[in-house]
Amino acid sequence: MLRDAHHRTIQYVRLSVTDRCNLRCTYCMPEHMQFLERSELLSYEEIERSMRVLASAGVTKLRITGGEPFLRKDLLRLLEKLTPLMDISITTNGVLTAPYIPALKALGIRNINLSLDTLQADRFLQITRRNRFPQVMATLESLLAHQMNVKINMVVMDGINTGELHNFAALTRENPLSIRFIEEMPFNGQGKGFSGINWHYRKILDTLNEKYILEKLPDETASTSLNYSISGHCGTVGVIPAYSRTFCGTCNRLRITPTGGVKTCLYGDDVMNIRDSLRSGAADSELLEALQTAVWHKKKDGFEAAAANRRSQHESMSVIGG
Ligand code: SAM
Ligand code: SF4
């Protein structure tokens, strides 16, 4: 098992399979990114091997993220190898996703988080610096048509999209969607200045309450979101206090960067490197031991982790794997 000194057990891994992206969301990365060389990335064989080791240590859930995961060549080939090992979900920006939906469904992958911060094409261009709104909306439609479990991630940005909170909540009236409003975090690779947030989760909830009567749903185990139903709506809404960090106490997550860096906290630095271990000839048992040691030292919460690490505050979320 992977246990830390604060009595938490790791069962959930988020793996960023590439740092590359076809959007340039201002809260995530600058326009001109220095992307990694392919040889620096964990290979599919290295990913599969390390996921086997993690599965043997009790990890049951894996989220594939990025960068944009569908930019990684032959992603389906990797997913075919991983679906027998763990319950897989994917976070995607939806630009290239639509044609893959039937194949994902055939592999048993039903849980898709789609990032969408606005319902307006001009604002989409302003936020992502790319004109891909129609493709993303087509993906959303197709996901719903294929009855996938869809969560929309909406990063709430002061003065940019806060006027759209009610419109997003309105989407849940007819559609079985979960909309999750996310507090903005500092990890923008210096694409944008960051000096804290005005829109913390309580303010988001207060704004939703102006129009809707929210009813709190029971918290799922180790969930990062607080979820609510709205009377008469078939979908739900939620808030993710990603900056306020109210969920650290039950954290069961580990992050792996595209180069195999292991993060035991979103706000912390890499604490070991899977790729370097494997390429220096580590046996599975040695890799497991290194992971167990890294997890044991997981910081109590994101504030402690941030205090110990100044560097990652400037990292892009595409590397951390949001
Ligand atoms: N490219 C894919 C996408 O956008 O869904 C997957 C990777 S993206 C880094 C994963 C999630 O992180 C997205 O939902 C995105 O909105 C979120 N994210 C990125 N930067 C963020 C930031 N600075 N604050 C809060 N959420 C952020
Ligand atoms: Fe790309 Fe996702 Fe980052 Fe936007 S949030 S730039 S889509 S990795």
Side-chain angles (χ1 to χ4, degrees):
M1 300 290 268
L2 293 168
R3 289 220 176 86
D4 75 5
H6 307 283
H7 314 291
R8 296 171 298 197
T9 303
I10 301 299
Q11 290 169 315
Y12 181 17
V13 168
R14 303 171 72 111
L15 169 70
S16 173
V17 292
T18 177
D19 60 332
R20 287 174 194 262
C21 195
N22 40 12
L23 299 181
R24 290 290 183 280
C25 304
T26 50
Y27 53 75
C28 179
M29 60 172 73
E31 176 62 61
H32 300 290
M33 276 288 282
Q34 185 76 46
F35 291 116
L36 295 160
E37 294 295 327
R38 194 147 184 188
S39 59
E40 296 177 82
L41 304 182
L42 276 175
S43 69
Y44 283 177
E45 289 65 33
E46 288 164 340
I47 291 175
E48 188 190 342
R49 190 172 153 203
S50 46
M51 292 307 130
R52 276 187 197 285
V53 169
L54 285 163
S56 75
V59 172
T60 56
K61 280 172 64 181
L62 172 65
R63 175 166 298 280
I64 301 292
T65 178
E68 176 46 38
F70 289 96
L71 282 181
R72 181 90 191 240
K73 201 169 163 218
D74 290 336
L75 184 70
L76 286 179
R77 182 164 69 83
L78 176 67
L79 297 176
E80 275 163 21
K81 299 275 187 203
L82 299 181
T83 42
L85 302 177
M86 294 176 194
D87 174 19
I88 311 265
S89 52
I90 302 178
T91 302
T92 174
N93 65 25
V95 172
L96 300 171
T97 318
Y100 294 100
I101 294 170
L104 297 177
K105 204 172 167 182
L107 280 172
I109 299 173
R110 303 297 288 261
N111 298 324
I112 306 291
N113 287 9
L114 179 69
S115 301
L116 181 65
D117 306 310
T118 175
L119 300 172
Q120 297 177 18
D122 54 346
R123 189 168 288 152
F124 184 94
L125 174 61
Q126 179 196 357
I127 294 171
T128 68
R129 306 186 183 106
R130 297 290 184 275
N131 211 346
R132 298 284 186 275
F133 185 67
Q135 289 88 334
V136 179
M137 292 309 281
T139 290
L140 175 57
E141 266 177 42
S142 179
L143 286 169
L144 291 170
H146 284 88
Q147 294 165 327
M148 304 290 264
N149 300 327
V150 186
K151 292 181 179 162
I152 291 185
N153 287 348
M154 192 257 206
V155 178
V156 179
M157 286 165 278
D158 194 21
I160 309 279
N161 59 358
T162 51
E164 294 192 58
L165 298 189
H166 291 170
N167 294 346
F168 270 87
L171 284 180
T172 66
R173 188 176 297 130
E174 309 287 339
N175 301 297
L177 286 166
S178 168
I179 310 279
R180 285 121 48 91
F181 300 102
I182 307 180
E183 287 179 352
E184 188 176 354
M185 293 180 276
F187 311 115
N188 58 52
Q190 305 291 331
K192 186 182 179 192
F194 187 87
S195 55
I197 52 166
N198 276 329
W199 282 80
H200 55 72
Y201 72 100
R202 282 186 302 272
K203 183 164 173 171
I204 297 169
L205 288 173
D206 287 346
T207 303
L208 293 171
N209 270 316
E210 287 167 8
K211 181 155 180 192
Y212 298 103
I213 298 170
L214 307 184
E215 198 155 314
K216 179 84 174 57
L217 293 165
D219 290 329
E220 285 167 31
T221 316
S223 172
T224 53
S225 58
L226 304 168
N227 297 303
Y228 300 80
S229 63
I230 300 175
S231 173
H233 289 214
C234 63
T236 60
V237 294
V239 284
I240 301 188
Y243 188 68
S244 304
R245 282 159 266 181
T246 55
F247 45 64
C248 298
T250 57
C251 181
N252 67 347
R253 290 171 289 281
L254 198 70
R255 289 184 156 75
I256 302 175
T257 71
T259 52
V262 174
K263 284 181 190 292
T264 51
C265 176
L266 178 60
Y267 284 83
D269 206 348
D270 294 7
V271 290
M272 70 156 285
N273 190 288
I274 291 175
R275 180 199 60 193
D276 295 348
S277 292
L278 293 180
R279 291 186 192 176
S280 62
D284 287 357
S285 57
E286 290 168 313
L287 179 61
L288 177 58
E289 206 172 303
L291 286 162
Q292 282 169 326
T293 305
V295 167
W296 182 257
H297 292 101
K298 181 173 163 70
K299 300 282 188 228
K300 178 166 70 69
D301 57 35
F303 296 100
E304 210 179 83
N309 166 35
R310 297 198 146 261
R311 208 179 57 127
S312 82
Q313 303 291 307
H314 306 302
E315 263 180 319
S316 164
M317 193 63 123
S318 61
V319 176
I320 302 171

